[in-house]
Amino acid sequence: MSVTSMTGFARVEGHTGANRWAWEIKTVNSKSLDVRFRLPPGMDAVEAAARAALGSVFARGSCQIGLLVKREAVAPVVRINHSVLDAIVMAMSEASQRVDAAAPRLDGLFAIKGVLEVEEQEEDDQGRAALQAALLEGFTKAVNECAEMRQREGAALARVLFGRIDEIEALTNEAEINPARQPAAVREKLATQVASLLDVSKSLDPDRLHQEAILLAAKADIREELDRLHAHIGAARDLLGKGGAVGRRLDFLAQEFNREVNTLCSKANDVSLTATGLSLKAVVEQFREQVQNIE
């Protein structure tokens, strides 16, 4: 499986009977799967099926889904209301026996309200079923196209993240071989500090200072932080290589990276080591920002 981005877009259009329709899907990053539909009235059955189809493909992301359905002009149905027409003809026949008038013309009869009934053609059950089936087929196509775009974006993000992990590893190795971490350098620095304190006050207990120096040296040791950074680097590479919905776990690793780097900076006993730690913080933050877009 490949790493997938949460950013995607797709638009699919179609024509069914007298209806033209178009699906549009937009997805961005989110902590969970948040789906919002904008559908024409009467499409509740379509929404339920579409939501289920989407959930089977996407694990995370904010999804904005719109459907436009436009019915083309259809010739109306014109019917003669025979009951009304017969009643009018009968009334005119009776009136003609009392009034000398010309026989009525068809256009005059049709002009009388109620004789002609004009009805817009409505879709029957079969037509509505065909439309729903076409809409669901079109939605599935739109979801697949959006998923393909998210996969392409994910592949690009994976390359960037692998690059960030390489940078983190290089800086971690740089911190590991920093001369200030060598035992001789640590001893020399502590000895200088102890000697400076003894010069200031002869009343200080050398043995107590020696014990304090040992504690300071232990606190300044970043071996544990370096080991954890190496472990997180391996875990991040494994997750990216595994693929799938690994965004949450990568986000957790980004937080752990940041925690270890902060501790490393606080323990740094030399300007050069602090500089390496700050560079690490910058790369870890870039890694964290990119991870936010991974499904």
Side-chain angles (χ1 to χ4, degrees):
M1 296 178 67
S2 59
V3 173
T4 304
S5 169
M6 285 187 279
T7 302
F9 175 82
R11 181 181 175 86
V12 172
E13 301 178 355
H15 182 276
T16 307
N19 297 292
R20 289 191 175 277
W21 49 265
W23 283 106
E24 192 169 281
I25 302 177
K26 299 177 184 178
T27 67
V28 294
N29 61 322
S30 177
K31 291 183 178 180
S32 59
L33 182 61
D34 179 19
V35 183
R36 298 183 183 182
F37 281 88
R38 288 182 290 105
L39 305 179
M43 294 292 175
D44 294 343
V46 173
E47 177 178 348
R51 190 178 291 273
L54 186 75
S56 67
V57 178
F58 296 158
R60 292 176 66 200
S62 175
C63 307
Q64 301 289 335
I65 301 168
L67 170 63
L68 176 65
V69 178
K70 184 177 181 181
R71 187 170 174 79
E72 296 177 341
V74 179
V77 176
V78 180
R79 294 188 179 90
I80 298 175
N81 190 322
H82 292 284
S83 298
V84 174
L85 180 60
D86 290 345
I88 292 172
V89 170
M90 184 177 294
M92 286 183 172
S93 177
E94 292 177 0
S96 66
Q97 297 177 7
R98 301 182 181 184
V99 179
D100 185 14
R105 294 166 54 90
L106 280 178
D107 56 350
L109 289 173
F110 287 162
I112 298 173
K113 185 177 180 180
V115 175
L116 290 183
E117 296 177 348
V118 180
E119 296 180 359
E120 295 293 334
Q121 290 192 46
E122 294 185 0
E123 212 156 29
D124 56 17
D125 291 342
Q126 184 177 358
R128 283 190 290 272
L131 175 60
Q132 288 188 4
L135 288 175
L136 289 175
E137 184 179 350
F139 182 75
T140 300
K141 183 179 179 182
V143 170
N144 290 336
E145 289 185 5
C146 187
E148 289 175 4
M149 180 177 179
R150 285 161 59 115
Q151 288 172 356
R152 290 194 299 271
E153 292 286 326
L157 279 173
R159 290 192 292 271
V160 172
L161 289 172
F162 274 121
R164 294 290 177 264
I165 293 171
D166 289 343
E167 292 180 56
I168 292 172
E169 184 176 45
L171 287 167
T172 301
N173 292 334
E174 181 180 306
E176 189 146 19
I177 64 173
N178 189 292
R181 287 197 61 249
Q182 302 305 313
V186 174
R187 282 197 301 270
E188 183 180 351
K189 188 166 188 176
L190 288 173
T192 302
Q193 292 174 340
V194 170
S196 176
L197 289 172
L198 288 173
D199 288 341
V200 172
S201 176
K202 300 296 184 181
S203 63
L204 292 175
D205 183 0
D207 292 335
R208 179 62 184 273
L209 282 176
H210 179 71
Q211 293 174 359
E212 292 295 330
I214 293 174
L215 289 174
L216 288 173
K219 289 180 179 179
D221 184 17
I222 60 171
R223 177 72 267 159
E224 189 175 347
E225 286 70 32
L226 293 173
D227 289 343
R228 287 196 183 118
L229 283 171
H230 282 301
H232 296 336
I233 289 167
R237 284 190 175 128
D238 288 344
L239 283 174
L240 284 172
K242 178 182 177 181
V246 295
R248 286 194 181 93
R249 281 176 284 177
L250 285 171
D251 186 48
F252 173 76
L253 274 178
Q255 297 176 42
E256 292 301 303
F257 272 129
N258 192 57
R259 192 194 317 277
E260 300 305 332
V261 173
N262 282 337
T263 306
L264 184 149
C265 287
S266 67
K267 286 185 173 183
N269 62 345
D270 186 81
V271 174
S272 61
L273 191 56
T274 299
T276 300
L278 292 175
S279 297
L280 266 170
K281 279 182 68 70
V283 179
V284 166
E285 179 60 21
Q286 292 170 356
F287 177 82
R288 189 196 66 82
E289 288 176 354
Q290 295 294 344
V291 162
Q292 303 306 308
N293 297 313
I294 296 293
E295 185 179 32

